[in-house]
Amino acid sequence: MFNEMKDTINNLDEKELKSLLFQFFFRMQAVENRKDYSEQQFFLDIKNTYNALLEDRENHAMGEKHTQFDTTHIVFGDAPTGSLKLVLKELGINQKEKIITFSDLFSIGPVWKVHELQGIVNRHEWLRTHLNSEGDVLTNYLAKFMQTILEIEQISSHQPIIIWAGENAHEQTGLRLVLYLLKEKTNDILIINTNEAYKKNFDTTESDFTPQHMGELSFEQLKQIYENEKNDHALTQTERKVFEQQWEQLCQDKEVLRIWGNNKIISVPETYYDENIINTVKKFHKKNKQNEFIKSARIIGEVIGHLDQYVGDEFIEYRIKRLVADGIFDIEGVTKAMRYYSIKVR
């Protein structure tokens, strides 16, 4: 077993070794500094990494590690990734086209230097201390983020790259980050703008629906868009340079909320939706003719349902809790999850 592990380590390249070492050091630091991360969890994470390394070695021996893909897709979010996987499988090309996923929501949280380790750590710390993420979403955040960057860096130079990004701050921020990470590569890069593609491929005269992000497209819509748009023109070097420069500007920003307007990403104060939230609660009070407590999940759903931006439930909940702390709302219940507490205007 020792020789097997030695061979596995020897087969890792420098970037993979650095990523692995970083994961170990970060988790050791987490044991010392975080109450919610125990030595038992540290051991389980290291064990999972160990098992993953052994599995990777077996795949390498079977020749799976260096599978040659014809195309690489880059997608922002787990839900659209799942849909695209089904599309590729339906088209019979899932073994030839790879998907790399950023499991994140880039319209919220700091993006300051997030192409570097210090920026990733800073972003993770903000998300961990401000958002009420359920499950283990943030437990392996750093390792997953680093792994995604590593996968992008390892894309073969011959592979065309397709980046899926609609007209929203989340995907457009991710797009600029990815193009910055790809700045040294010579691959052909195609952007599929899902909003433009939706308007082009579907009759919208009888419907006001416009997808806010890729995850709102149905399987059939996504399939048709891909088949019709996959041969569009690749970005020119000039176009790529513009996106790279936009990222260099954006990654210096310290705001934690971004919206999309006038075909550009706009950084706004985190209080941007506070008045909207307060008015929504007041609307419920007026409707019920009394200032009774209202489930926060209901308020969040109402606010999200009327936004023309994609910011996610967790950010709106974060602002609700800030408004409670600021004395704007009274609270009843516990805040471990939005379904457990209710609020009203004080």
Side-chain angles (χ1 to χ4, degrees):
M1 182 61 72
F2 175 79
N3 288 333
E4 289 181 357
M5 283 304 303
K6 184 177 179 181
D7 289 343
T8 300
I9 296 297
N10 287 336
N11 284 327
L12 297 175
D13 62 25
E14 182 180 352
K15 290 178 180 177
E16 290 172 321
L17 285 169
K18 285 182 178 180
S19 176
L20 186 64
L21 191 60
F22 167 75
Q23 291 179 43
F24 287 160
F25 284 173
F26 173 77
R27 286 168 177 157
M28 288 173 64
Q29 188 179 59
V31 171
E32 296 177 356
N33 299 332
R34 284 171 48 186
K35 295 180 180 180
D36 61 340
Y37 192 80
S38 64
E39 291 184 2
Q40 181 181 9
Q41 186 61 51
F42 172 78
F43 171 77
L44 291 174
D45 285 346
I46 297 301
K47 183 179 179 181
N48 288 336
T49 302
Y50 169 79
N51 290 332
L53 279 173
L54 289 182
E55 182 179 351
D56 189 65
R57 182 180 184 275
E58 292 175 1
N59 291 340
H60 182 272
M62 295 170 61
E64 294 178 7
K65 185 177 177 66
H66 297 291
T67 299
Q68 294 299 309
F69 295 98
D70 294 337
T71 302
T72 294
H73 299 259
I74 300 179
V75 178
F76 306 105
D78 294 327
T81 295
S83 298
L84 185 58
K85 283 182 178 178
L86 292 175
V87 168
L88 299 184
K89 186 174 182 180
E90 174 76 10
L91 295 173
I93 54 176
N94 55 309
Q95 297 299 319
K96 297 180 180 180
E97 302 197 4
K98 179 179 181 178
I99 303 175
I100 296 176
T101 306
F102 262 114
S103 300
D104 214 326
L105 181 55
F106 287 119
S107 56
I108 65 171
V111 294
W112 173 80
K113 292 187 177 181
V114 81
H115 57 278
E116 299 176 1
L117 178 58
Q118 60 177 331
I120 302 170
V121 172
N122 179 66
R123 177 172 172 79
H124 173 253
E125 186 63 16
W126 188 92
L127 295 173
R128 187 182 69 82
T129 56
H130 289 76
L131 301 189
N132 223 357
S133 297
E134 295 188 13
D136 60 350
V137 175
L138 295 177
T139 302
N140 297 313
Y141 179 88
L142 276 167
K144 289 176 68 176
F145 203 108
M146 295 288 289
Q147 180 61 33
T148 302
I149 290 179
L150 185 63
E151 287 184 48
I152 290 172
E153 291 175 345
Q154 292 178 336
I155 297 174
S156 299
S157 59
H158 74 278
Q159 292 179 26
I161 299 170
I162 298 175
I163 307 175
W164 295 77
E167 295 170 3
N168 58 79
H170 159 52
E171 291 168 337
Q172 290 293 327
T173 300
L175 169 66
R176 285 154 178 76
L177 167 61
V178 167
L179 286 172
Y180 184 82
L181 294 172
L182 293 169
K183 64 180 180 176
E184 302 299 331
K185 290 189 173 289
T186 59
N187 306 60
D188 284 340
I189 300 176
L190 166 67
I191 299 173
I192 295 184
N193 182 318
T194 50
N195 289 81
E196 290 182 356
Y198 181 83
K199 294 172 187 175
K200 186 192 305 184
N201 288 276
F202 304 102
D203 183 6
T204 59
T205 56
E206 296 183 1
S207 173
D208 294 331
F209 172 75
T210 300
Q212 282 191 357
H213 54 91
M214 183 180 172
E216 291 189 344
L217 293 169
S218 69
F219 165 80
E220 290 297 334
Q221 290 170 340
L222 198 58
K223 179 183 174 184
Q224 185 172 329
I225 286 173
Y226 179 47
E227 290 183 302
N228 292 344
E229 305 295 324
K230 62 183 178 182
N231 295 318
D232 206 350
H233 76 278
L235 291 174
T236 64
Q237 287 301 314
T238 301
E239 289 171 329
R240 289 179 61 168
K241 194 66 178 177
V242 169
F243 281 115
E244 292 165 17
Q245 291 171 345
Q246 288 175 350
W247 173 254
E248 289 173 344
Q249 294 175 350
L250 185 61
C251 76
Q252 297 301 320
D253 195 16
K254 296 297 181 70
E255 295 288 0
V256 297
L257 179 60
R258 286 159 291 283
I259 62 173
W260 180 254
N262 297 321
N263 292 315
K264 63 181 181 180
I265 300 167
I266 304 170
S267 296
V268 296
E270 65 176 65
T271 57
Y272 186 78
Y273 290 116
D274 285 7
E275 185 176 354
N276 192 329
I277 295 168
I278 294 168
N279 288 337
T280 298
V281 177
K282 288 181 176 178
K283 184 179 74 173
F284 274 99
H285 288 336
K286 185 176 180 180
K287 180 180 178 180
N288 298 331
K289 298 181 180 179
Q290 57 180 324
N291 283 24
E292 63 181 2
F293 282 103
I294 307 158
K295 286 288 185 182
S296 65
R298 190 177 180 189
I299 299 299
I300 293 167
E302 183 73 11
V303 172
I304 291 292
H306 287 86
L307 291 185
D308 60 354
Q309 302 286 334
Y310 179 41
V311 297
D313 296 356
E314 292 175 343
F315 184 81
I316 300 301
E317 185 187 14
Y318 158 60
R319 291 312 307 165
I320 285 177
K321 290 191 290 185
R322 286 304 311 163
L323 291 168
V324 169
D326 292 342
I328 306 299
F329 293 146
D330 283 330
I331 186 171
E332 181 180 72
V334 292
T335 60
K336 66 177 182 178
M338 64 180 73
R339 62 183 178 276
Y340 291 121
Y341 64 97
S342 301
I343 59 171
K344 69 176 182 178
V345 174
R346 176 168 292 183

